[in-house]
Amino acid sequence: MKELRDLLENNRRWAENKKSSDPEFFTRLVEQQSPAYLWIGCSDSRVPANQIVGLAPGEIFVHRNVANLVQHSDMNCLSVLQFAVDVLKVRHIIVTGHYGCGGVRAAMEEQRLGLVDNWLRPIQHTSHHHRHELAGLDDNARLDRLCELNVAQQVKNLCNTTIVLDAWSRNQPLSVHGWVYSIRDGLVRNLNVSRHGGEA
Ligand code: CO
């Protein structure tokens, strides 16, 4: 139980520090959230959304799953997307993958990990689709390139959801972006696959 006690102690200290540096911090957050961004990222513990882009609580709406996938049958991801776009009216959706992603690697190497193999299946379609480009790369470069291609595919998937299409058809300003984060140096690379609609 020591580990959990540590977490609660960390929490108490964090809340105190926040209050002493900004006495209105929690009062402001209780009022409402109005984030301008939706982050769709990997569950990987090394890729924390808020810290990477330096945003405080209340500033970014976050959905994470293994290998940052947007699947049209995933009620969880679609519900987050719908709420973010229709209710919170975020202006930007950012799919952020990361180099060396274990989920992408498992799909690429056809590892058998269990149920998650089914979740990761669409990455194999992406890999197959780009097989000629990927075949010319060594193992590490192939994994990193597939991490990028996977993000680009999720941007496309987002743009084909009824939620994004409907937002654009009513001229709601909304952009969808694809980024990849490097655990090696902490930097984000823009893949330049952004799509814009509405008055964005
Ligand atoms: Co990952």
Side-chain angles (χ1 to χ4, degrees), residues 161-172:
T161 60
T162 53
I163 298 152
V164 170
L165 290 171
D166 288 353
W168 285 341
S169 73
R170 61 179 181 260
N171 266 336
Q172 182 177 330

Side-chain angles (χ1 to χ4, degrees), residues 42 44 98 101-102:
C42 185
D44 192 302
H98 66 102
C101 180

Side-chain angles (χ1 to χ4, degrees), residues 140-184:
N140 288 335
R142 190 182 316 127
L143 172 60
D144 284 350
R145 181 62 183 141
L146 187 53
C147 290
E148 295 177 350
L149 293 168
N150 179 49
V151 168
Q153 182 60 50
Q154 307 321 307
V155 169
K156 278 190 206 160
N157 292 354
L158 278 167
C159 295
N160 287 329
T161 60
T162 53
I163 298 152
V164 170
L165 290 171
D166 288 353
W168 285 341
S169 73
R170 61 179 181 260
N171 266 336
Q172 182 177 330
L174 179 66
S175 300
V176 185
H177 313 273
W179 292 356
V180 181
Y181 173 74
S182 171
I183 290 166
R184 281 187 284 274

Side-chain angles (χ1 to χ4, degrees), residues 34-174:
S34 56
Y37 312 96
L38 166 62
W39 170 285
I40 298 178
C42 185
S43 298
D44 192 302
S45 62
R46 299 165 297 177
V47 193
N50 288 65
Q51 283 101 321
I52 286 174
V53 287
L55 292 178
E59 295 183 320
I60 189 162
F61 201 59
V62 174
H63 176 76
R64 291 168 68 178
N65 62 45
V66 176
N68 41 268
L69 296 176
V70 176
Q71 305 204 40
H72 294 288
S73 57
D74 178 8
M75 288 290 286
N76 183 355
C77 182
L78 292 181
S79 299
V80 168
L81 177 65
Q82 191 263 326
F83 187 78
V85 171
D86 292 352
V87 181
L88 297 174
K89 301 208 163 34
V90 298
R91 304 286 292 245
H92 301 276
I93 303 170
I94 308 159
V95 181
T96 308
H98 66 102
Y99 293 119
C101 180
V104 175
R105 182 195 301 277
M108 189 178 87
E109 296 177 353
E110 298 187 23
Q111 295 171 10
R112 290 299 296 269
L113 299 176
L115 178 64
V116 72
D117 304 343
N118 301 282
W119 172 254
L120 297 170
R121 176 70 64 184
I123 300 172
Q124 292 180 344
H125 293 287
T126 303
S127 173
H128 183 73
H129 190 71
H130 297 277
R131 62 193 178 281
H132 299 300
E133 178 189 349
L134 293 169
L137 303 171
D138 68 34
D139 284 356
N140 288 335
R142 190 182 316 127
L143 172 60
D144 284 350
R145 181 62 183 141
L146 187 53
C147 290
E148 295 177 350
L149 293 168
N150 179 49
V151 168
Q153 182 60 50
Q154 307 321 307
V155 169
K156 278 190 206 160
N157 292 354
L158 278 167
C159 295
N160 287 329
T161 60
T162 53
I163 298 152
V164 170
L165 290 171
D166 288 353
W168 285 341
S169 73
R170 61 179 181 260
N171 266 336
Q172 182 177 330
L174 179 66

